Amino acid sequence: MTDLKKNYIAGEWIPGIAEIENRNPSDLSDLVGMFAQASADDLEAALDQAKQAQKAWEAYGMERKQAVLMNIGNELMARAEELGTLLSREEGKPIAEGKGEVFRAGQFFTYYAAECLRQLGENADSVRAGVEIDVRREPVGVVAVISPWNFPTATASWKIAPALCYGNAVLWKPANATPASAVALTEIISRQDIPKGLFSLVMGSGRKIGQKLVESPKVNAITFTGSVPVGKGIASAAIQNLTKVQMEMGSKNALAVMDDADIDLAVTVALGGAFGGTGQKCTASSRLVVHEAVHDAFVEKLVAGTKAMQVGHALEAGTQMGPVVSEQQLRENLAYVDLGRSEGAELACGGERLNMPHEGFYMSPGVFLNSSNSMRINREEMFAPLTSVIKVGSYDEALSVVNDTNFGLTSGIVTQSLARATHFRRNARTGVVTVNLPTAGTDYHVPFGGRGDSSYGSREQGKAAAEFYTTVKTAYISAGDPT
Ligand code: NDP
């Protein structure tokens, strides 16, 4: 009999109205756990208590808040091995990536712990004599955090940590595909010196409890990472209550490989960017835009490297790429393989369901050649271990292909020319640009976000997060006559 993992509502662990099972995508015989699904009443209770708790938290001294965030961060880092294993077990990414993710999540908390002590305002003289102006940031109030399954701990942490740092209460609706990581993080937060109900975990399906959460007038701000259609629905629900909203959605990132590129470096960068996290990253390199002068040499090594990748159980040593997250995702990926072929692209390798010793959602990483940027496989986010090579004749053509997308999260260039790297950095229409590095892999102390359909609202992470999690107050003070 497996223990039911409960929701954390208004300071209590509550069983909910239903339960779901969570299975390991590397081995479907492995039951990760049973997880409660919150009711609408649970949600209301959490929202009501959050409002009161937020006032108490706002009144905490800054060192007390800093200690809470520091404790959470330190515990995540100290337990990265254990919690990273759990994460990999339920999500399917290789164990090194799972551990790395939990450690990084800890760093978000320690970074924002320090930010608790660095909240400086501005002041100015008024245009009126004898009047001073004080500009400061105040919490927005109750923040709804809606996070995806692909980075279940890191994405949630880069939202929860700044929300708490800047004085807000949090209601977290994690992805139903990765509830174990959510319960583990919540268990750490629940043991801290925080007001009852400051933080609630509300597990359940996005369409049901998630939708109720984003429609609630008791929510002051919504931060979301996930797909474009769900994001658009959330934005239209938010606007009904004029709720502040920030969204991080899909992408179609391109890596440009120039004629002067170090080919071995380009192949390493492309393989890491395309197949890390089984390609299930919003920053994945899913378009490889390659100069014709190096095309054949690059493709030969890319295909060889792709075929050599070891696909296997996320927790087994030597695994370089784990399974995809679910049967539905696997079917969608295989449908994109068929689509790419029917559009005229050549599948050089991979793109097949794999039968492994354990039953799971395995597929081989795939590379399309002879693809054009107008094909659907190069326009839609596949969220799969699939990448497409697009051959171009010049740097100018490469830049124009990179920018020819509805998305705009990350882009990269591999070149030895400072002039081209500089031009690319200034002219790529994405929120993140990389030079001689994969399009995936970002730091926590600087802004993260994109353009076009990739993002909506202000940037996440670093000091930029203050824009979303606070509201600005401008005070005018007349000192009066000192005599
Ligand atoms: P979704 O957009 O469906 O889900 C993201 C989060 O939103 C989950 O917590 C989900 O809950 C929740 N949600 C779903 N519907 C609603 C709703 N109506 N109101 C409020 N919350 C809701 O993404 P998926 O995880 O299903 O993946 C689908 C696609 O999204 C992927 O194939 C990929 O293209 C993209 N994606 C992009 C990510 C990125 O980092 N940019 C991350 C993950 C996905 P629940 O899980 O319970 O449905």
Side-chain angles (χ1 to χ4, degrees), residues 91-103:
E91 198 272 352
K93 63 182 67 176
I95 179 93
E97 292 183 34
K99 281 191 241 173
E101 177 175 342
V102 172
F103 195 86

Side-chain angles (χ1 to χ4, degrees), residues 146-150 173-177 204-207 210-211 214 224-227 230 234 248-250 281-282 329 332 381-383:
I146 300 180
S147 57
W149 46 263
N150 64 331
K173 207 311 273 174
N176 240 0
S205 106
R207 277 181 293 106
Q211 187 68 30
V214 298
F224 166 78
T225 297
S227 62
V230 172
I234 287 177
E248 172 61 43
M249 296 164 288
K281 288 186 185 180
C282 53
Q329 189 73 42
E332 287 172 16
E381 186 185 47
M382 296 189 277
F383 232 55

Side-chain angles (χ1 to χ4, degrees), residues 91-124:
E91 198 272 352
K93 63 182 67 176
I95 179 93
E97 292 183 34
K99 281 191 241 173
E101 177 175 342
V102 172
F103 195 86
R104 173 52 59 93
Q107 291 174 311
F108 278 109
F109 279 96
T110 56
Y111 172 82
Y112 283 105
E115 286 303 296
C116 290
L117 304 180
R118 292 196 191 116
Q119 293 176 40
L120 305 180
E122 294 176 346
N123 49 57

Side-chain angles (χ1 to χ4, degrees), residues 457-468:
S458 52
R459 290 284 185 262
E460 300 195 82
Q461 305 181 21
K463 283 184 187 299
E467 184 61 32
F468 179 72

Side-chain angles (χ1 to χ4, degrees), residues 203-279:
M203 294 183 286
S205 106
R207 277 181 293 106
K208 292 182 186 158
I209 209 75
Q211 187 68 30
K212 282 204 169 4
L213 176 59
V214 298
E215 285 173 356
S216 174
K218 296 175 184 171
V219 170
N220 303 109
I222 301 165
T223 175
F224 166 78
T225 297
S227 62
V228 175
V230 172
K232 285 184 176 171
I234 287 177
S236 56
I239 203 69
Q240 301 309 313
N241 299 315
L242 301 178
T243 305
K244 197 172 183 181
V245 63
Q246 169 191 68
M247 303 191 297
E248 172 61 43
M249 296 164 288
S251 198
K252 198 68 202 171
N253 313 296
L255 177 75
V257 178
M258 288 299 94
D259 49 348
D260 62 354
D262 171 333
I263 296 299
D264 289 330
L265 173 70
V267 170
T268 304
V269 162
L271 288 171
F275 303 128
T278 320

